[in-house]
Amino acid sequence: MRRKEFGVEDWQEIEQFMSEMTFGILGTIGEDGYPNLKALNFVYADGAIYAHGSKVGEKISDLGRNPLVTFAIAKEYALIPSYFTEPVYACPATAFFKSVVIKGKAVLVEDLEEKAKALGVFMEKLQPEGGYEPFSLENPGYVSQIRGVAVIRIDVDDLSAKFKFGQNMKGAKREAVVNGLENRGKELDEETVRLMKLYCPAHKEG
């Protein structure tokens, strides 16, 4: 059963999360009928998901037979141990995370301008410090590379987002988790506390 309190409908928040993430899982339908899953880099641009890779292989063959795909993005922020709120039983153990699941149709991009633009967005995202000539069809060094790579665009038919940061916790339990994270001090614990305060009205500052 889907927990409504974890659902996110703020499109700006969803877009920001997708823009921050660099890795996702692409689900295609295999020749044998089983789902095939591929981990790959992606960018979100102009309302679509873009990926790139070889022009041959299982992924391309799957899309040639059936363009319907699922694409999932997720980031785990913190594991919440049971002893933050319960000294004996394991049941409260959980994890706080953001996730987005997209259903759509995959298209192999043939337009060279669109391919160049998508590859440019990739480089801006994955290598923001620069150190390369921008992708352009006017640059002869890039033309053959742009032609030779497969760029996949996923046009979104349905998108659902789930951001879980203790929205279902109340009072003392929520305070115990915040205190546990603040005292533990792992890499993303401070950010997790900030997001708990953002998504849990009782914890909003000010």
Side-chain angles (χ1 to χ4, degrees):
M1 179 181 294
R2 184 173 179 82
R3 298 290 294 270
K4 291 183 180 179
E5 65 265 36
F6 302 139
V8 180
E9 296 182 357
D10 187 320
W11 187 242
Q12 186 174 354
E13 288 188 50
I14 295 169
E15 284 193 319
Q16 180 177 340
F17 174 61
M18 291 194 294
S19 297
E20 292 170 353
M21 298 298 289
T22 61
F23 223 66
I25 303 294
L26 175 67
T28 59
I29 301 173
E31 187 174 11
D32 57 4
Y34 284 93
N36 284 325
L37 301 180
K38 296 284 189 300
L40 43 75
N41 290 118
F42 77 96
V43 293
Y44 173 76
D46 299 327
I49 296 291
Y50 285 90
H52 67 88
S54 172
K55 284 191 169 185
V56 295
E58 184 177 63
K59 176 171 71 263
I60 300 300
S61 297
D62 287 351
L63 297 179
R65 286 188 302 272
N66 191 329
L68 297 181
V69 299
T70 299
F71 190 75
I73 311 156
K75 179 178 180 178
E76 183 179 79
Y77 283 78
L79 294 174
I80 308 301
S82 60
Y83 53 77
F84 275 5
T85 57
E86 167 55 57
V88 178
Y89 298 107
C91 299
T94 188
F96 288 171
F97 63 89
K98 292 182 180 182
S99 68
V100 170
V101 176
I102 291 167
K103 294 180 181 179
K105 297 180 181 68
V107 177
L108 285 176
V109 178
E110 300 295 343
D111 180 78
L112 296 183
E113 289 286 355
E114 184 178 357
K115 290 177 75 172
K117 182 179 179 181
L119 293 170
V121 175
F122 264 103
M123 290 303 298
E124 290 172 6
K125 184 175 185 178
L126 301 179
Q127 193 172 311
E129 71 275 18
Y132 61 91
E133 287 288 328
F135 273 94
S136 171
L137 293 174
E138 298 177 359
N139 187 328
Y142 277 135
V143 174
S144 62
Q145 296 183 51
I146 294 170
R147 291 183 184 276
V149 69
V151 172
I152 300 166
R153 185 185 72 239
I154 300 174
D155 296 325
V156 179
D157 292 329
D158 181 75
L159 182 151
S160 61
K162 182 177 179 180
F163 293 2
K164 181 181 178 182
F165 290 94
Q167 295 94 319
N168 60 323
M169 293 180 173
K170 300 184 185 301
K173 284 191 175 181
R174 189 158 54 193
E175 289 294 336
V177 170
V178 169
N179 291 335
L181 290 169
E182 289 177 339
N183 291 329
R184 185 173 68 179
K186 286 190 175 181
E187 181 181 3
L188 291 177
D189 285 352
E190 182 178 348
E191 175 67 3
T192 301
V193 170
R194 186 189 72 81
L195 291 168
M196 286 186 71
K197 293 177 179 179
L198 177 66
Y199 294 118
C200 303
H203 261 157
K204 287 186 176 178
E205 297 176 322

